[in-house]
Amino acid sequence: MGSPPQQPAAPGARRALEAAWLAHLAAGNPLPDPNDMDATPTWARAIALTQAEEPHAAHEAWEACWRDAPYPQRLLPLALAKLTAAQVLDARGERSRAGAARLRAEAAALLAPFPPAYAGLDIVALRAGLPALRLRTC
């Protein structure tokens, strides 16, 4: 177990920092306690919009969540932002399906280090429902 990667991403370095955090977690370093994540109004709004199947508004809310969260917890709302963006692309039709599939694959990679339940979310259900996001809370 090593020391955690840096927190803020330098401009243009977000993907590299995400990869560093995923590697850090894959090496057996634990995730922080999630209790503070699901207690914010932004989190509750993102959950409600996702459950109401309003993917565009939910995507915006999840983006606000991940921008405000520290690493490594930030990976979870980022994955949800990608999943809701994939839903938006799916609604646009066949020409956007490749982009939606790419976003789902990126989301799956971001969800990999999370336990079956985290921050009030059923992560197993999220992983199982990647093609058609139906958010379930624990």
Side-chain angles (χ1 to χ4, degrees), residues 2 8 10 12 16 26 37 40-41 45 58 61 67-68 81 83-85 88 101 104 113 123 125-126 136 138:
M37 283 188 71
T40 67
R45 176 172 161 68
R67 284 188 189 115
D68 292 342
L83 289 173
T84 51
V88 171
R104 282 193 190 88
I123 302 298
L126 278 175
R136 288 193 278 170
C138 296

Side-chain angles (χ1 to χ4, degrees), residues 43-125:
W43 186 268
R45 176 172 161 68
I47 294 279
L49 289 167
T50 303
Q51 289 174 328
E53 297 185 32
E54 296 183 35
H56 189 271
H59 171 73
E60 298 298 324
W62 287 120
E63 279 196 341
C65 286
W66 77 256
R67 284 188 189 115
D68 292 342
Y71 282 102
Q73 298 100 315
R74 161 181 252 190
L75 300 172
L76 180 58
L78 178 57
L80 291 162
K82 288 178 181 285
L83 289 173
T84 51
Q87 283 187 309
V88 171
L89 289 177
D90 281 339
R92 291 185 183 162
E94 191 65 38
R95 295 179 127 186
S96 299
R97 295 263 155 77
R102 180 185 49 78
L103 287 169
R104 282 193 190 88
E106 291 172 5
L110 293 169
L111 289 170
F114 289 91
Y118 190 82
L121 297 178
D122 183 345
I123 302 298
V124 173

Side-chain angles (χ1 to χ4, degrees), residues 5-10 13-22 71 74:
Q6 66 186 24
Q7 271 298 318
R14 190 192 89 218
R15 289 189 187 269
L17 186 54
E18 288 164 13
W21 274 101
L22 288 170
Y71 282 102
R74 161 181 252 190

